[in-house]
């Protein structure tokens, strides 16, 4: 019997009602109730279609594989790379009951996304996505001299490039920052080179990987500025796919409990913390009014705990 017996089990509602400790107990207990074959795996291999941007990211692909490996009672699995869909398209496909273009996507959360999709409410990078540095062209570096506050940033006339469907865009715009957008992540690098904007703001957890892929010596990380706002990055699945939602959350909870999640964070993000010198940057903190109450609390707590986590990751 497959884990699909959890057809009436709504993970989103459960997360809203349970205290964190109770959530963990719920997960462990319901995994036994809902999985009659908990001590024997199915011979059938399940394909999980992961959004291509996540599949191509070593860190996110490794995390999804970790969560799936932590839950062998659900059976064997294989990760499959999705078609090259924009972020807006991938969210629409996830929301469709019959679509099999994608099963899992990791994106920054927003209250609207949580209403029509099912989030796994554990920040995949420990909250680092809400810490943004600027990819810039060398001749634009002088523009950033002496920027310490939000007013300094706006007065300098610095435009920030972002994806049109990214939830960062309204966060930046609501703070009065000029934002230039495009639907495709790859196109934004060309727009930066063509001086359509001065800063391509990228998360601390992703910027070094971006530059390794681009292999362009004329793209630099601006050394002094750090823009910070609550922006938890979750795994999302379709609203009907409760089996996958439960498997991913149970797997991530187990990885937290057995220490594998901490190892994942250090392996994939420890280097970025050191290389980017986050503790010596000028930090501009922005509000994010577009989060659900639960996600805002998660984002606030990860920011409050930021210094300790950065010290751990950098050692």
């Amino acid at each position: 019997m497959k884990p699909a017996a959890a057809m009436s089990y709504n993970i989103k509602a459960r997360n809203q009602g349970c205290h964190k400790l109770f959530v963990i107990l719920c997960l462990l207990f319901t995994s036994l109730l809902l999985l009659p074959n908990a001590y024997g795996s199915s011979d059938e291999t399940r394909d999980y279609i992961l959004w291509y941007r996540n599949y191509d990211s070593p860190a996110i692909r490794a995390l999804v594989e970790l969560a799936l490996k932590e839950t062998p009672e659900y059976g064997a699995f294989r990760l499959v790379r999705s078609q090259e869909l924009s972020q807006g398209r991938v969210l629409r496909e996830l929301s469709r009951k019959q679509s099999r273009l994608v099963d899992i996507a990791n994106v920054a959360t927003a209250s609207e996304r949580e209403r029509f999709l099912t989030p796994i409410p554990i920040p995949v990078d420990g909250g680092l996505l809400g810490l943004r540095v600027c990819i810039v062209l060398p001749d634009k570096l002088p523009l950033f001299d002496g920027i310490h506050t939000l007013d300094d940033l706006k007065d300098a006339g610095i435009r920030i490039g972002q994806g049109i469907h990214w939830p960062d865009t309204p966060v930046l715009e609501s703070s009065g920052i000029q934002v230039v957008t495009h639907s495709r992540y790859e196109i934004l690098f060309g727009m930066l080179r063509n001086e359509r904007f001065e800063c391509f703001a990228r998360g601390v957890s992703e910027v070094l990987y971006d530059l390794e892929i681009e292999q362009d010596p004329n793209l630099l990380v601006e050394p002094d500025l750090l823009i910070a706002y609550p922006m938890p990055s979750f795994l999302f699945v379709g609203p009907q796919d409760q089996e996958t939602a439960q498997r991913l959350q149970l797997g991530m909870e187990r990885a937290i409990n057995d220490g594998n999640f901490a190892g994942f964070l250090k392996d994939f993000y420890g280097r970025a913390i050191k290389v980017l010198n986050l503790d010596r940057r000028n930090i501009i903190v922005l509000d994010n009014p577009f989060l659900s109450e639960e996600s805002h609390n998660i984002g606030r707590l990860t920011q409050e705990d930021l210094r300790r986590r950065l010290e751990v990751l950098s050692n």
Side-chain angles (χ1 to χ4, degrees):
M1 184 173 181
K2 290 181 66 62
M7 65 181 72
S8 64
Y9 182 75
N10 190 311
I11 196 167
K12 186 185 300 184
R14 198 267 341 271
N15 283 331
Q16 294 173 346
C18 295
H19 184 274
K20 181 178 179 181
L21 177 59
F22 185 57
V23 167
I24 296 173
L25 294 176
C26 286
L27 286 166
L28 296 176
F29 181 65
T30 55
S31 68
L32 296 178
L33 290 179
L34 299 172
L35 307 176
N37 197 29
Y39 296 100
S41 62
S42 169
D43 293 333
E44 182 181 349
T45 298
R46 163 77 189 271
D47 284 349
Y48 292 97
I49 305 173
L50 181 63
W51 184 32
Y52 86 99
R53 286 273 308 282
N54 303 149
Y55 188 95
D56 292 347
S57 166
I60 302 306
R61 183 177 178 183
L63 179 62
V64 175
E65 288 180 337
L66 174 61
L68 296 175
K69 288 177 180 176
E70 291 269 6
T71 51
E73 63 267 40
Y74 283 81
F77 69 89
R78 182 177 62 179
L79 280 184
V80 178
R81 186 180 188 268
S82 80
Q83 300 176 22
E84 296 191 0
L85 309 173
S86 69
Q87 186 169 141
R89 172 75 185 281
V90 81
L91 295 177
R92 289 194 298 272
E93 292 297 332
L94 277 178
S95 68
R96 294 173 179 169
K97 295 180 180 180
Q98 304 302 322
S99 176
R100 279 308 309 277
L101 292 181
V102 63
D103 295 314
I104 304 168
N106 164 232
V107 293
T109 193
S111 57
E112 180 183 5
R113 294 178 173 186
E114 294 178 19
R115 282 195 295 270
F116 68 87
L117 298 175
T118 300
I120 288 72
I122 300 172
V124 299
D125 55 8
L128 295 180
L129 186 66
L131 304 180
R132 296 266 159 170
V133 295
C134 288
I135 300 178
V136 301
L137 299 175
D139 63 350
K140 300 300 181 184
L141 285 172
L143 287 174
F144 294 83
D145 291 344
I147 293 180
H148 297 277
T149 67
L150 176 59
D151 286 339
D152 292 338
L153 183 66
K154 291 189 288 189
D155 290 344
I158 291 172
R159 297 167 296 178
I160 292 181
Q162 292 285 271
I164 192 170
H165 300 294
W166 301 356
D168 308 81
T169 297
V171 171
L172 296 169
E173 290 176 334
S174 69
S175 295
I177 296 171
Q178 298 182 65
V179 183
V180 179
T181 63
H182 197 277
S183 61
R184 290 296 299 269
Y185 151 83
E186 295 86 352
I187 300 298
L188 287 162
F189 283 100
M191 294 173 67
L192 175 64
R193 295 182 182 99
N194 291 328
E195 301 186 3
R196 294 282 304 279
F197 48 81
E198 293 72 39
C199 162
F200 187 7
R202 300 296 289 149
V204 166
S205 57
E206 58 194 3
V207 65
L208 296 183
Y209 172 72
D210 291 343
L211 294 180
E212 289 171 1
I213 295 298
E214 289 298 310
Q215 290 292 304
D216 185 345
N218 290 319
L219 297 180
L220 306 175
V221 177
E222 192 280 328
D224 298 319
L225 183 64
L226 182 66
I227 302 172
Y229 42 85
M231 181 61 73
S233 177
F234 296 154
L235 297 176
F236 282 87
V237 301
Q240 308 299 319
D241 195 0
Q242 295 299 314
E243 177 186 319
T244 301
Q246 190 197 16
R247 179 172 190 173
L248 289 172
Q249 179 148 349
L250 182 60
M252 291 184 71
E253 292 283 0
R254 286 176 175 173
I256 291 171
N257 291 336
D258 63 24
N260 285 330
F261 185 72
F264 158 79
L265 290 176
K266 187 170 182 63
D267 289 346
F268 285 97
Y269 304 126
R271 171 174 164 258
I273 303 304
K274 293 180 180 179
V275 170
L276 297 174
N277 296 315
L278 297 189
D279 58 336
R280 295 197 289 273
R281 288 175 173 265
N282 301 317
I283 302 176
I284 297 176
V285 179
L286 307 179
D287 185 31
N288 182 355
F290 303 101
L291 294 176
S292 66
E293 182 178 358
E294 179 185 12
S295 292
H296 190 277
N297 289 335
I298 291 172
R300 177 179 55 81
L301 290 173
T302 54
Q303 280 202 328
E304 290 176 354
D305 199 32
L306 176 62
R307 185 64 59 189
R308 184 187 66 81
R309 290 184 294 109
L310 294 182
E311 290 174 355
V312 170
L313 288 172
S314 63
N315 291 328

